[in-house]
């Protein structure tokens, strides 16, 4: 998950930073720090956040020949 994918997923679900932090049981500063590209977020924490977003219906996809990484919602 990239910082942009996290922000796109959060926006698609209409979640504020605080909403996502509560959902994933992390500090809001963790979300803000990662989205801003300042790093320092543990891989395990990012995997947990991604899983919580996937549980809400987000699908993450990697960059390929047709474009960059992105997200979409399950139908």
């Amino acid at each position: 998950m990239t910082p942009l994918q996290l922000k796109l997923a959060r926006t698609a679900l209409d979640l504020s930073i605080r909403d996502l932090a509560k959902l994933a049981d992390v500090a809001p500063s963790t979300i803000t720090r990662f989205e801003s590209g300042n790093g320092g977020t543990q891989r395990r924490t990012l995997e947990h956040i991604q899983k919580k977003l996937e549980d809400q219906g987000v699908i993450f996809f990697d960059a390929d020949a047709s474009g960059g990484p992105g997200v979409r919602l399950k139908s």
Side-chain angles (χ1 to χ4, degrees), residues 4-70:
L4 178 58
Q5 283 177 304
L6 176 57
K7 191 168 189 173
L8 290 170
R10 187 173 59 75
T11 301
L13 294 173
D14 196 28
L15 295 173
S16 69
I17 288 173
R18 288 184 185 275
D19 292 338
L20 178 55
K22 185 175 180 178
L23 177 71
D25 196 29
V26 298
S29 61
T30 300
I31 306 296
T32 302
R33 188 173 50 252
F34 184 70
E35 282 188 3
S36 67
N38 289 332
T41 308
Q42 297 287 326
R43 181 183 179 133
R44 193 171 77 230
T45 301
L46 293 175
E47 289 170 351
H48 175 73
I49 294 168
Q50 182 172 339
K51 172 75 169 94
K52 292 296 184 177
L53 290 166
E54 289 170 341
D55 290 347
Q56 296 297 310
V58 174
I59 300 170
F60 292 86
F61 54 94
D62 296 326
D64 60 19
S66 65

